[in-house]
Amino acid sequence: MRIRKGYTAAYLLILVLGLSSCMEGLPEVEDPAPRYFIPTLAASLQQSTFPQPESNLLSEEGVLLGKTLFYDPLISANGQVSCGTCHSLELAFGDGISLSAEGVSGKPLHRHAPVLFNLAWNEGLFWDGGSRNLESLIFGPLTHPDEMGANLNETIAYLNSSGNYPEMFYRAFGTDSITSAAIGRSLAQFVRSILSQNSKYDQWKSGENALNSLELQGYQLYQEHCKSCHTEGLFTDLGYHNNGLDASFPDPMELEGLYLGRFRISFADSDLGAFKTPSLRNIAFSAPYMHDGRFETLDEVLDHYRSGIQHSHSLSPALRAGITITDAEKEALKAFLHSLSDYTFITNQAYLP
Amino acid sequence: MKKIVLIATLLGSLWACDSNVDPLPTSASVTFNFTHLINGEEFDLENSMMELPTGEVFTPNKFKYYISNITFTNTSNQETYTLEDGYYLIDQAGQKSFSFVIPTAAYDQLSFYVGVDQERNLSIDQVGDLDPSNDMVWNWNTGYKFLVLEGEWQYGESVREGLIIHIGNNDPASTINFREITFDLNQAAIDLERNSEVNLDFEAELSALFDAPNEIVIHELENTSIMGGEWAIKVAENYQEGMFTLK
């Protein structure tokens, strides 16, 4: 038995050698399998896993395709608006405008363009969490008539006939059929891959840097007054709260419940006027603030919490009495918030075309 | 050798049986055809003027909906067959029929849902009739519109106004309008045991959306854009109750 096995192995070896010598001279066939990867996470994000859907795991090829689409204005209705138009890396992928009118229709939007980073952990996207995952979210801005206004069938025709796209789709998804789903998935991969985790705060947490005394005082104040919603790590609880911006919530027919906040998704009374807690990370880059960009500066934001809270039945219980801090404490808090600025993130060439 | 002879004999005898009796088909190709009516009349989008039960003159310009989770049941032995991955968009301006193959059996009941089940409604990066390019996804909420009716209405001398009905939600539980509709196949004389090709002709009567069990008087609505909440539930109850007929 042993002897027979030995012979078989030798025979196979000869066959393989013979084949490989035959194959010399043929063009090299590259392995088309996507190279999957999981990003390395800083401990200071306080996340043990990187969540991603089984049906759309991050790959080098998927992220590259998503990034290429992200910066391509030709996928929009008029060929002039890309995702990058309203999501600029130097502004933490925000746009610095309260309500942008940069879309294909030129009409101002009703909500402020959100910053994009550390989104893998979000279970709801948009300010009211209406979108359940990045794969689905993409079709919102891509097709909305006041944003990119794309007709998906025309976008697919453009991609099929243009440059490297068919091959990029093939490399990312193993099929040369370009579908709406594949567009959504590749853009979702790029956006999910965007991480910000190297601010002064992160460096302090890992022992590479130190916070000064004002920043440390601000950190204490943050823990006392902000942490219940802006949970340390991601600096958001990923939840929805009515933070007292308005006392009433009009519901004009044409806006489909836009001012009702999370209520229009959950139909829960407690969610009336509630919007998603934004991360405090990169807050110095992401002005103006709130879901409608109504506050221009961090001072205005902090003054809102000190003295501007509007009362209604759904107001977050934590804000009933506002946040009581002195002017000096406000400066300390702002110093800490600036330590959450991640300069390596906003200059990361990997996120640029 | 003996075995081979035995098998040959057996096969021969099977062949003999075969030629004597017409066997029952093991599978059937089933085609669903949908015809859309207003007050019993077929209509064209954009250029039909129809009177609704509550007196409004209505011109529809868009009518489409999803059919899914098609199940055939033999109620006497509870044998069922549910079509996997069967999501079909029916559009007055496009596809109004579709076909699929099922194993034959003495089914006497058919059910389908209008809409998309919760599991498939959680993400829209899908293909086929669920492709998001089909103008049936919400752009501020993840999921599909189950049924869309759009048009213009006028009541007496009133100004022509838009009517927009977008129904589609299955979360939270209080807002579910993913609705099952059941048909009696015996009553419609549909035999899925003996036929290998079966056509099921359905009629969908639009006026039933406003009729029963909930009367919806368009000219009395505060908002003629129905996209969720209690009015969407009422419309869903109406399409579950009386919109579809199996001819």
Side-chain angles (χ1 to χ4, degrees):
Chain A
M1 200 61 191
R2 238 185 215 170
I3 294 164
R4 278 181 72 177
K5 244 188 191 169
Y7 274 120
T8 312
Y11 186 61
L12 275 175
L13 189 65
I14 290 163
L15 257 177
V16 168
L17 284 173
L19 277 173
S20 69
S21 67
C22 290
M23 282 162 73
E24 272 172 44
L26 285 175
E28 206 172 303
V29 181
E30 266 190 71
D31 182 2
R35 290 166 293 169
Y36 296 106
F37 71 100
I38 294 171
T40 308
L41 304 177
S44 47
L45 280 181
Q46 300 195 21
Q47 302 300 320
S48 54
T49 57
F50 181 79
Q52 49 178 340
E54 210 44 54
S55 58
N56 192 31
L57 301 173
L58 284 194
S59 70
E60 305 282 352
E61 293 77 8
V63 170
L64 176 64
L65 171 58
K67 183 172 81 171
T68 310
L69 289 168
F70 188 91
Y71 288 108
D72 186 349
L74 296 177
I75 63 173
S76 70
N78 65 3
Q80 291 173 29
V81 182
S82 75
C83 307
T85 303
C86 294
H87 297 286
S88 305
L89 176 59
E90 70 271 22
L91 298 173
F93 281 114
D95 66 351
I97 302 168
S98 298
L99 298 171
S100 174
E102 299 294 314
V104 296
S105 68
K107 287 189 200 159
L109 302 179
H110 296 285
R111 292 211 180 135
H112 176 52
V115 291
L116 309 177
F117 55 81
N118 304 348
L119 291 178
W121 293 274
N122 281 246
E123 285 177 5
L125 299 142
F126 293 139
W127 283 99
D128 54 23
S131 181
R132 292 174 181 272
N133 50 54
L134 288 167
E135 284 73 10
S136 301
L137 165 111
I138 297 301
F139 299 105
L142 183 56
T143 62
H144 192 286
D146 297 324
E147 297 183 51
M148 295 170 72
N151 169 322
L152 291 172
N153 293 321
E154 287 171 14
T155 300
I156 288 168
Y158 154 69
L159 295 172
N160 270 317
S161 66
S162 122
N164 296 327
Y165 276 121
E167 194 190 337
M168 292 178 82
F169 274 90
Y170 179 71
R171 284 171 181 269
F173 298 111
T175 161
D176 50 12
S177 158
I178 299 180
T179 59
S180 308
I183 294 171
R185 288 179 184 186
S186 59
L187 278 160
Q189 284 192 36
F190 171 58
V191 175
R192 191 172 282 122
S193 77
I194 298 172
L195 291 173
S196 173
Q197 49 180 355
N198 192 28
S199 65
K200 188 176 180 187
Y201 161 85
D202 297 296
Q203 293 163 2
W204 170 57
K205 280 283 166 178
S206 68
E208 297 162 56
N209 205 334
L211 295 188
N212 65 34
S213 60
L214 193 64
E215 290 163 342
L216 282 170
Q217 187 199 347
Y219 179 61
Q220 293 305 321
L221 289 161
Y222 151 77
Q223 292 204 304
E224 200 176 325
H225 297 293
C226 317
K227 194 177 178 171
S228 66
C229 292
H230 296 281
T231 316
E232 197 167 354
L234 296 174
F235 285 89
T236 163
D237 61 356
L238 306 173
Y240 308 86
H241 306 278
N242 171 354
N243 63 341
L245 293 170
D246 298 298
S248 60
F249 310 98
D251 185 15
M253 164 177 155
E254 67 281 8
L255 292 184
E256 303 180 65
L258 191 92
Y259 300 128
L260 307 181
R262 176 74 177 163
F263 177 88
R264 79 165 170 171
I265 306 301
S266 69
F267 299 101
D269 266 346
S270 57
D271 280 338
L272 201 56
F275 292 93
K276 189 164 63 185
T277 310
S279 175
L280 297 180
R281 288 177 174 273
N282 300 304
I283 197 168
F285 307 131
S286 64
Y289 304 103
M290 305 298 161
H291 64 277
D292 52 7
R294 68 177 68 186
F295 297 135
E296 290 293 327
T297 63
L298 278 178
D299 281 297
E300 283 179 56
V301 173
L302 292 171
D303 288 343
H304 162 72
Y305 288 120
R306 289 166 88 194
S307 59
I309 295 289
Q310 304 292 304
H311 288 259
S312 61
H313 76 274
S314 57
L315 175 66
S316 170
L319 292 171
R320 295 248 160 85
I323 292 175
T324 315
I325 49 171
T326 65
D327 286 350
E329 286 172 333
K330 188 169 97 171
E331 292 310 309
L333 194 49
K334 277 163 57 188
F336 171 68
L337 292 174
H338 277 82
S339 81
L340 293 169
S341 295
D342 182 350
Y343 291 91
T344 56
F345 163 53
I346 64 157
T347 54
N348 188 341
Q349 297 300 306
Y351 297 142
L352 288 174
Chain B
M1 197 58 192
K2 267 184 189 168
K3 268 186 192 164
I4 293 173
V5 172
L6 185 66
I7 290 169
T9 316
L10 265 173
L11 280 174
S13 64
L14 278 172
W15 178 261
C17 288
D18 230 355
S19 55
N20 288 339
V21 189
D22 238 4
L24 292 176
T26 54
S27 66
S29 169
V30 180
T31 302
F32 277 30
N33 301 302
F34 289 85
T35 306
H36 301 147
L37 308 171
I38 298 186
N39 301 329
E41 303 279 331
E42 291 193 44
F43 63 94
D44 291 331
L45 292 173
E46 312 284 2
N47 51 25
S48 300
M49 302 270 275
M50 303 283 177
E51 189 168 325
L52 291 177
T54 46
E56 300 88 352
V57 172
F58 177 63
T59 301
N61 53 39
K62 196 185 277 187
F63 181 57
K64 51 208 286 198
Y65 51 89
Y66 279 108
I67 297 292
S68 75
N69 290 265
I70 298 167
T71 300
F72 295 90
T73 305
N74 176 344
T75 55
S76 57
N77 64 8
Q78 290 307 311
E79 185 187 343
T80 66
Y81 179 80
T82 299
L83 188 64
E84 291 291 320
D85 204 33
Y87 298 85
Y88 300 99
L89 180 59
I90 300 298
D91 183 356
Q92 172 68 3
Q95 161 181 278
K96 286 192 279 297
S97 72
F98 56 85
S99 303
F100 50 88
V101 174
I102 63 167
T104 50
Y107 306 115
D108 59 346
Q109 186 181 292
L110 158 70
S111 65
F112 60 66
Y113 281 78
V114 170
V116 179
D117 47 281
Q118 194 166 358
E119 198 186 334
R120 288 298 282 269
N121 207 34
L122 291 174
S123 201
I124 58 171
D125 52 330
Q126 303 196 48
V127 295
D129 283 8
L130 293 176
D131 190 297
S133 68
N134 284 324
D135 189 28
M136 287 295 274
V137 293
W138 300 104
N139 65 11
W140 47 268
N141 202 344
T142 290
Y144 295 86
K145 298 167 189 172
F146 299 167
L147 178 139
V148 166
L149 173 67
E150 293 180 14
E152 289 190 334
W153 64 275
Q154 190 171 22
Y155 182 67
E157 298 300 307
S158 76
V159 182
R160 278 170 77 84
E161 276 191 67
L163 173 70
I164 297 179
I165 297 182
H166 292 179
I167 311 295
N169 218 337
N170 43 24
D171 184 38
S174 61
T175 66
I176 291 175
N177 35 42
F178 177 62
R179 299 295 173 121
E180 185 177 28
I181 298 160
T182 303
F183 302 90
D184 184 334
L185 292 172
N186 287 343
Q187 202 182 340
I190 305 288
D191 184 344
L192 285 162
E193 192 178 19
R194 291 181 182 79
N195 296 308
S196 57
E197 274 187 43
V198 177
N199 275 296
L200 298 182
D201 296 319
F202 297 93
E203 285 180 352
E205 171 60 53
L206 264 71
S207 64
L209 287 171
F210 307 94
D211 210 344
N214 306 302
E215 186 176 64
I216 297 171
V217 185
I218 294 176
H219 69 268
E220 288 176 1
L221 288 178
E222 196 181 320
N223 187 339
T224 57
S225 184
I226 300 178
M227 300 203 188
E230 56 166 333
W231 285 104
I233 295 283
K234 284 177 196 245
V235 174
E237 284 169 359
N238 286 359
Y239 61 64
Q240 179 175 30
E241 182 84 15
M243 186 163 86
F244 293 96
T245 321
L246 175 59
K247 287 284 120 186

